[in-house]
Amino acid sequence: MHDIVVLKDNQELAAEAARQFVALAKAAIDTTGKFTVALSGGSTPQKLHTLLANQYKHSLDWSKVFVFFGDERFVAPFEPESNYLMADETLLSLVDIPEENIFPFATIDLSPEEAAELYEKELKKFFGERPSFDLILLGIGPDGHTASLFPGHPEVLNPSDAFVRAVYDSPKAPPIRLTLTYALINQAKQVIFLVGGQGKTEALKNILEGPADLPAAKVRPENGEVLWLLDREAAKGLSLPAEGV
Ligand code: 6PG
């Protein structure tokens, strides 16, 4: 079953996501001494990042926050499409998080396969053999993709045991990407999907009300929770009673 919360608009969506992020971070830091999070790419998380960097700048001990990425475009970290660059500009460069707490994908001087293998090694070095994030933030595309797991792609059709895969023909530009896989995502303690705007209504209905045959529907943490934070635009096709906030 999915937890679904519908917010009035994308500003309220970001505000609720920020509240959830900070609450999860404080709880994890209280219990384990650290908070591990994989950030999502794309445009939706930017408002969340801005709120965290401003309203919550001093609400967290950022030295205990460890930031990874759910996926990355295979471009240099200074290219405008880079998810790392977006996170750095909207959040990471604006809070007191040590550089050694940030784990970007290596996207230069390596092949995509080498970069995927290196990131998997970094994940295992940090977490051990079974990485389990406290929080993985995800978005979905109009085709129901999430991270860089796209419809019809091998990693979606036949999920592997690998934690990180290279993608070579992403239908969402740029074509070459790196992505966490279901094998890793489904070990998370908490997944939060942030979905706003009218373009994803059909995909959302498929995922939440069936036939649930799109990539994001395969995010089902074995021992974790999934929270869907939606704005009214995105949720308007749903027939489920979704509590507002
Ligand atoms: C990426 C993202 C991707 C994104 C969705 C939604 O690298 O593009 O990881 O999965 O989350 O496509 O993107 P928007 O938030 O821009 O709609």
Side-chain angles (χ1 to χ4, degrees), residues 111-168:
S111 72
E113 296 298 338
E114 289 165 338
E117 284 166 25
L118 177 61
Y119 209 67
E120 180 144 343
K121 283 197 183 92
E122 285 180 345
L123 285 161
K124 289 179 176 176
K125 182 178 172 198
F126 183 89
F127 285 101
E129 285 302 306
R130 290 183 60 76
S132 173
F133 278 96
D134 293 313
L135 172 62
I136 296 182
L137 288 166
L138 291 172
I140 66 168
D143 61 358
H145 78 259
T146 191
S148 285
L149 298 164
F150 292 94
H153 276 239
E155 191 54 36
V156 173
L157 297 176
N158 300 296
S160 69
D161 294 335
F163 292 148
V164 188
R165 291 303 290 270
V167 174
Y168 290 93

Side-chain angles (χ1 to χ4, degrees), residues 10-105:
N10 60 20
Q11 197 57 43
E12 281 304 307
L13 176 64
E16 180 61 19
R19 284 191 289 269
Q20 296 279 347
F21 183 106
V22 171
L24 287 165
K26 287 182 174 176
I29 290 168
D30 285 350
T31 53
T32 68
K34 67 178 183 296
F35 174 58
T36 58
V37 58
L39 298 180
S40 176
S43 56
T44 304
Q46 295 183 29
K47 281 189 170 61
L48 162 62
H49 292 178
T50 300
L51 280 173
L52 291 173
N54 294 285
Q55 195 169 327
Y56 294 96
K57 182 184 179 76
H58 303 297
S59 306
L60 277 182
D61 180 351
W62 291 93
S63 71
K64 295 191 170 72
V65 177
F66 295 83
V67 173
F68 294 76
F69 294 83
D71 72 334
E72 184 55 278
R73 293 82 178 279
F74 201 68
V75 297
F78 49 78
E79 293 289 342
E81 301 100 327
S82 166
N83 286 336
Y84 163 76
L85 180 66
M86 180 273 283
D88 186 52
E89 289 179 338
T90 56
L91 174 59
L92 303 175
S93 62
L94 305 173
V95 293
D96 293 333
I97 186 168
E99 196 166 330
E100 60 268 23
N101 286 28
I102 303 168
F103 298 83
F105 283 91

